[in-house]
Amino acid sequence: MIVLFRIDDRLIHGQVVLGWGTVLKPDRIILADDLVASNEWERDLYASAAPPEIKVSILALTEAAAQLKAGVFEGEKVILLVKHPRSVLSLMDLGLPVSEVNVGGIHYREGREKVLENVYLDAEERSIMRELVKRGVTLDGRALPSSKTVTLNSRVV
Amino acid sequence: MSDEKYSERTAGIVVTHGKLAEELVRTTELIVGAQEDLYAVSGSDLCDESVIDRIREILARREDAHVIVFVDYFGGSCCINSVRAVEGETGIKVMSGVNLPVLLAFATKRGTMPFDEMIEHLIRRGRESLKVIDL
């Protein structure tokens, strides 16, 4: 069961492990990212960032969608992490049902405009967000569970 | 034991969330005096990926044989970004859980013992500094 589906370009880090982890008490973090999954050094780096009581699966997007759809993690509370908005779209195209995504951290870089303190989007990312909204996804803009509730849907259209 | 033997310089880079790095370095200097080659790098609130560039800039102009990158929290973004920044470099260690006693030990002991021994010393110092005070 996915208890949090989050876009965060820092993937596994303090906000996820401590901020959300303390509240949601996940059994597992699934990091779904093709680049990270294909690189052993990257996999080890992120796997080391989680505390020992949280299991970590680092999977390519197709693999993540397949395993989640097959119910491999059915009995577990899972935090699903992706780096880019387009990964959410990919997972949906691969058949993963998504009703809500936490847009927790997309940080500034050139070409991105500020949407929230913790969310900056470029034109392509904005159009992906619009597509997600069109498909009925709720975009929650909280960095942390205790952050003020902000729904991004109206801010990306 | 002559200090001469270990005159290879060791630089320190403190990488943290918030403004902790600046304050740790400032406070270290307050206690033991101005430090050469001790740098503070921090994101404004979180540890931004631009810290990778700043760490690399410091490394690019270093004259020191060794560098210790001190990070605040194991598994945090500062830690991950620091590991990324030093990938492929030699003579560099990333140490997490930095605190004031560790930095004070670094400032006062660097240059007096071999690099590996100093790493051990700093780890020991950091651990010893965590204790409940008998009342």
Side-chain angles (χ1 to χ4, degrees):
Chain A
M1 178 184 135
I2 297 172
V3 292
L4 178 72
F5 183 4
R6 175 172 168 105
I7 305 171
D8 189 332
D9 51 22
R10 288 170 181 143
L11 296 169
I12 302 175
H13 68 119
Q15 280 190 340
V16 172
V17 170
L18 291 176
W20 289 93
T22 310
V23 173
L24 299 175
K25 300 184 173 49
D27 301 300
R28 183 182 298 273
I29 292 173
I30 298 178
L31 192 170
D33 188 272
D34 290 347
L35 270 177
V36 176
S38 66
N39 181 319
E40 190 186 356
W41 191 84
E42 293 276 337
R43 285 202 307 270
D44 289 348
L45 185 62
Y46 283 112
S48 75
E53 65 272 18
I54 302 179
K55 289 176 268 221
V56 177
S57 299
I58 298 174
L59 305 170
L61 290 168
T62 48
E63 193 59 26
Q67 293 197 19
L68 283 163
K69 280 195 298 177
V72 173
F73 309 107
E74 209 52 66
E76 296 180 327
K77 286 191 280 183
V78 170
I79 291 180
L80 174 60
L81 293 178
V82 296
K83 204 167 192 165
H84 304 286
R86 77 180 78 90
S87 303
V88 178
L89 215 48
S90 303
L91 288 171
M92 291 180 83
D93 289 340
L94 289 162
L96 188 75
V98 177
S99 59
E100 179 164 347
V101 174
N102 170 243
V103 187
I106 302 175
H107 294 88
Y108 178 79
R109 68 162 184 239
E110 217 172 312
R112 278 182 179 160
E113 281 177 20
K114 184 172 178 173
V115 181
L116 288 176
E117 207 54 56
N118 52 314
V119 180
Y120 291 75
L121 300 175
D122 66 21
E124 188 212 348
E125 291 157 346
R126 199 175 272 270
S127 85
I128 292 169
M129 292 294 191
R130 278 198 295 269
E131 176 61 24
L132 292 175
V133 170
K134 223 186 285 176
R135 295 190 189 189
V137 177
T138 301
L139 305 173
D140 161 34
R142 287 178 298 165
L144 291 169
S146 56
S147 306
K148 194 164 157 270
T149 304
V150 185
T151 304
L152 283 176
N153 294 46
S154 60
R155 301 192 187 213
V156 295
V157 290
Chain B
M1 190 188 297
S2 159
D3 285 359
E4 197 71 16
K5 193 175 169 190
Y6 305 116
S7 59
E8 285 180 323
R9 301 192 334 161
T10 299
I13 307 175
V14 186
V15 185
T16 70
H17 296 73
K19 294 282 179 212
L20 187 58
E22 280 82 353
E23 289 302 322
L24 275 172
V25 169
R26 204 181 63 86
T27 308
T28 298
E29 293 188 323
L30 202 70
I31 296 168
V32 295
Q35 293 294 310
E36 276 183 24
D37 303 333
L38 179 60
Y39 305 91
V41 175
S42 59
S44 55
D45 293 312
L46 287 163
C47 208
D48 197 86
E49 277 179 20
S50 63
V51 304
I52 294 177
D53 298 333
R54 282 156 70 189
I55 294 169
R56 285 186 179 148
E57 274 168 35
I58 294 169
L59 294 179
R61 58 166 200 262
R62 77 175 158 135
E63 295 167 4
D64 313 274
H66 297 289
V67 180
I68 303 177
V69 182
F70 297 96
V71 304
D72 50 2
Y73 174 72
F74 179 80
S77 53
C78 295
C79 184
I80 296 271
N81 286 335
S82 295
V83 172
R84 250 181 229 296
V86 307
E87 191 201 357
E89 300 266 356
T90 53
I92 300 183
K93 297 280 187 199
V94 179
M95 184 185 292
S96 71
V98 64
N99 58 25
L100 189 59
V102 167
L103 279 190
L104 290 174
F106 173 74
T108 53
K109 296 290 190 214
R110 60 176 163 168
T112 69
M113 57 182 84
F115 184 61
D116 291 344
E117 206 174 294
M118 189 175 59
I119 295 285
E120 290 303 313
H121 175 75
L122 296 182
I123 296 278
R124 210 163 43 239
R125 205 51 213 98
R127 288 188 177 144
E128 282 167 2
S129 72
L130 283 177
K131 59 175 79 177
V132 175
I133 316 259
D134 286 331
L135 296 174

